[in-house]
Amino acid sequence: MADSDGRQVVSINHSTEEDVKLQEVVQAKCEGKELTKEEKQRLRKEKKQHKKNKKDDRGPPEKEKEKEKASVLAPSKPATQSPAHKAAPVPVNASASESPVAAEKPAKSKAEQRAERRARQDTERASKQGKKEGGQQSASSKPKATPNELQPVKRLPEHIQVDDPAALKKLAKKLERQQVPLRSDYGYKVSLFSHLHQYSRKNPPTQQISIPATVIHPSIVRLGLQYSQGIIAGSNARSVALLHAFKQVIQDYSTPPNEELSRDLVNKLSPYISFLSQCRPLSASMGNAIKYIKKEISNIPSQCKEEEAKRRLQECIDSYINEKIILASEAISKYAIEKISDGDVILVYGCSSLVNHILCEAFEKQRKFRVIVVDSRPRLEGREALRRLVKKGIRCTYVLISALSYILPEVSKVFLGAHALLANGYVMSRVGTSQIALVAKAYNVPVLVCCETYKFCERVQTDSFESNELDDPDDLIVTRNGKTHLENWQTVKSLGLLNLVYDVTPPDFVDLVITDLGMIPCTSVPVVLRVKNVDQ
Amino acid sequence: MELQAVLMAAGGGSRMMDLTYNTPKPLLPVGNRPLIWYPLNLLERVGFEEVIVITTKEVQKALSTDQRLKTDVKLRLDVVCIQEEADMGTADALRHIQQKIKTDILVVSCDLITDVALHEVVDLFRAHSATLSILMSKVHEFTETVPGQKGKKKAGEQRDFVGVDVTGKRLLFMANEADLDEGLVLRKSIMRKHPRMLIKTGLLDGHLYCLKRSVVDFLVHNKCVTSIRGELVPYLVRKQFSKSLNSQNATEDSEKNQKQQDAHHNLELLSTSKDEALLQLARERSCWNDHRGDMSEAYHGGKLRCYVHIMEEGMCYRVNTLAAYIEANRVVPKLFEDPPIHPAAVVSERSLVGSDSIIGPLCQISDKTSIKRSNVGTSTTIKEKVKITNSIIMNGVTIEEGCNIQGSVICNNAVIGRGADIKYCLVGSGQHVEPEAERTNEVIVGSDQLMEI
């Protein structure tokens, strides 16, 4: 079984590490040097850590079995919900009692890890040989489980580690602590994307939440539902809705006695954010908004009264939305309209709220242009963009993405919206955007990406596989003339349905990025990020 | 708080007077539990912690004394009594408790037995910010013979016509056959906004409604609305498509119209909330639309939305007729894993109790009795050599020796004399059937009850 193998591998590593350390000690003794105080400390700490790891290895496999039981019971049909409800709380309660105990152990080991790392770095600066061997050991063992690392390893976010059982275990523990139900994955995942979550709309995240929602604020439950059903879609809409829900949460919040608002409110928001990410993975814009809110909350001075603090937070949220979204789109449309000349044929893809806004403004300013809306399955968002533009009075053509190379010779400019702009200049947007940019480059048509600065994020990605979102695979199923050929796709073992949501476009295909700070080349994104960080 | 539950248990059971003239409808035993236990259990299972129960004094007394209700139900019951003679409709009752209502409400009727996943109904209410969300289910044909029914089954109650849009979730049209004079009249505004509408007739209304708080305030202002199902729901469904206040004709100034205008005005005003601007912004920026093919935005810009969840499979019964009562008694015991024979019952070893029968506590079943496919209530005494098939025996009944009871309903505290042969009969509360009687397909009730009708 993989479990026992994993344990074995870890224990082998431990033993080899111990051997190495012993060797070092022996070496040091042979060399006549006495073990330095630091080395003695380090050895003692490492011995303690090994003991703890052995205990942990025994503990988690048991918990994993219980989690499996709980997760198997949870997605049972509603008809059997009553017996399932009775049974599920029992294993959940049992593991809940264990989890606070286990939670303390990693906390202790983290502090120990830090101390150890410091001590080790000091000694290893002195002896190069030990550094090399220690590095090798840390690479082979799991970076999170063992403390024997040189540099602090960047933790990968959970939502792209779905095929790692340890990460899943950690997530399940965290959700249980926060009393947020775990949403189970659905259907067969294409192997290249098996590290991502794939949820089904038929299993809503509210299946296991009590009615009325008590643990999670009702407006957050409503928001999560709207995300998972796609009622609120699009980067800007999701951020605005999120901030609106947070405003209501802050409105209904009351500080418990002996607690400070600045610390307690942030803790209250964490389970809500976990719930929302279970409904639909958070977007980059939402992540930035949450960071901003948390910073604002923790900056509230402790002598501030609750009413005053709440009012201040509401104002912060309003000003954030006003500056970063509303005024930003005004600024962007001002810059973009300079780039639209009379007689232009503009190609847009999907439904980007920003691009639609730009085109509507340009039309109001009496520019003469026509628009080609390119659309793709299964979302077919272009229909909504088409509706808004035609309602305004703009002349539009509608094609599917398969007709792209046919229509491109007519196009003079391509305007694209973005979900996020990554730190290496790559543009993350709706799946299909990179195709459009590629073909446009082949036809020498300029590609302009419009993006507000609050969507810039510090991640670096060069391909669309590493971090993406898998939508409901049943959306790809089509019923025509009463026949649904893919109805039983799950029974065909060699068939997998893939419904990707995002893809990344390299900066070579993008000619200009229009932001509220001005028109910048794609490669200047890290500069903007650096300036933003300095400001904050 | 998100939702408050309101349980309407003051109804009289007007369609099964034979059963309810002595026992109030919420206390009728179904599967050896009082009828009111089932909606309370449903609410408890999904996570409600307290319920407002609107009922009569008799039921309130039973709620506090009945063993089963006290021990099994862990909800906190906030019982509001209303006079039986006041003849309050369900909407009147909501108006009566208006002070207690602080959030959106979930109204349940006491005669609903269902295993629906309640989150389906509530999710529609939450996700679309709906004003009304109801539960409906496909009607199941009743297969059991109903005692006292002479001749072939009538066409039944009048049908409900329910119009839904292509997704099957949005409620566009709702009317009862009784309200339609000659034909179904559809407003052009509905057809313009939703050119494809499915009209279904084989649906049973579950009487489970999620209502926004503003609707309760609207009821307070409009005292003419008495019944939720009869008046409020069709009004709200119609109101989805009525013209907004701006386009109403300003020359209509008769008193009645003025009041109506005020009423409409109130409903629209009351349904706006704070931070409406932000919600509007989010909706504008979102690339979602609930319909396609015309040039309007999501929901056609309407603020009032009504949704329906239609249960395709699963159990949903409304125990408001005798046939439904019998059917429910047949199906319900299979749901709950109670032991079929209550431990407190005294069953003699030489009797034959079938596996699909249930025996309530404190029963006494004597030798050589055979009980098949039947429900026997609390404190019932069954003497020797009795044969009971396909029947429902309520509480406190005494059945003397040698009786043969088939396909019948025996109500509380009845006495069946020895050697009686009862087939497909309904024996009313406290009635005595004389020994050696042979009754088939009859309703045996007392003379005082006849006077009530």
Side-chain angles (χ1 to χ4, degrees), chain A residues 38-140:
Chain A
E38 291 161 317
E39 284 179 331
K40 277 193 212 153
Q41 232 185 5
R42 182 178 33 120
L43 276 174
R44 245 180 278 141
K45 285 204 177 120
E46 278 172 39
K47 272 194 203 148
K48 257 199 227 165
Q49 191 57 43
H50 292 162
K51 275 197 208 147
K52 279 228 173 74
N53 280 344
K54 283 195 190 127
K55 261 200 216 158
D56 271 340
D57 285 339
R58 252 178 269 135
E62 293 171 328
K63 267 181 237 137
E64 198 187 37
K65 282 188 211 134
E66 289 190 353
K67 288 289 171 310
E68 284 175 4
K69 256 195 269 161
S71 59
V72 157
L73 285 170
S76 55
K77 273 214 194 115
T80 55
Q81 218 178 23
S82 40
H85 262 264
K86 285 184 208 148
V90 173
V92 165
N93 278 335
S95 38
S97 54
E98 277 184 76
S99 54
V101 178
E104 289 175 84
K105 282 197 216 147
K108 267 190 224 159
S109 61
K110 258 192 229 163
E112 280 192 9
Q113 279 180 43
R114 262 183 253 132
E116 256 182 73
R117 244 181 269 136
R118 253 179 267 135
R120 208 182 318 123
Q121 277 174 354
D122 290 339
T123 53
E124 268 149 2
R125 244 173 248 140
S127 49
K128 271 190 192 171
Q129 216 182 4
K131 192 183 180 183
K132 266 195 223 151
E133 290 178 333
Q136 278 177 355
Q137 299 304 329
S138 67
S140 51

Side-chain angles (χ1 to χ4, degrees), chain A residues 77-79 81-83 85-86 204 206-207 209-213 218 221-222 225-226 229-234 236-237 240-241 243-244 247-248 251 318 321 325-326 329 351 353-354 357 381 383-384 387-388 390-391 430 452, chain B residues 1-4 43 45-49 104 106 115-120 122-129 212 273-276 278-279 281-289 291-292 294-299 313 335-337:
Chain A
K77 273 214 194 115
Q81 218 178 23
S82 40
H85 262 264
K86 285 184 208 148
T206 49
Q207 252 174 356
I209 293 193
S210 66
I211 307 165
V221 175
R222 169 174 303 156
L225 265 178
Q226 288 176 328
Q229 291 180 9
I231 296 175
I232 300 223
N236 282 339
V240 171
L243 290 169
H244 166 78
K247 272 181 95 173
Q248 299 197 306
Q251 188 64 39
D318 282 332
I321 295 178
I325 302 180
I326 301 179
S329 71
C351 184
S353 55
L354 188 54
H357 185 253
E381 288 171 337
R383 295 185 298 192
E384 184 59 23
R387 178 187 75 79
R388 290 178 199 201
V390 171
K391 194 168 182 189
R430 186 68 78 221
E452 298 97 334
Chain B
M1 252 235 288
E2 192 186 358
L3 277 181
Q4 272 176 292
L43 292 173
R45 253 186 298 134
V46 288
F48 275 97
E49 284 172 356
D104 304 334
L106 174 68
D115 63 351
V116 71
L118 208 52
H119 71 85
E120 306 252 7
V122 181
D123 279 351
L124 284 173
F125 183 70
R126 288 163 169 158
H128 299 275
S129 285
K212 262 217 171 109
S273 62
K274 295 186 279 190
D275 288 327
E276 186 70 13
L278 269 187
L279 272 179
L281 178 67
R283 210 164 275 157
E284 269 172 40
R285 296 300 180 111
S286 171
C287 52
W288 178 83
N289 206 323
H291 64 279
R292 59 184 186 88
D294 65 1
M295 296 293 275
S296 29
E297 46 181 356
Y299 307 128
E313 27 180 57
L335 255 201
F336 300 96
E337 300 102 42

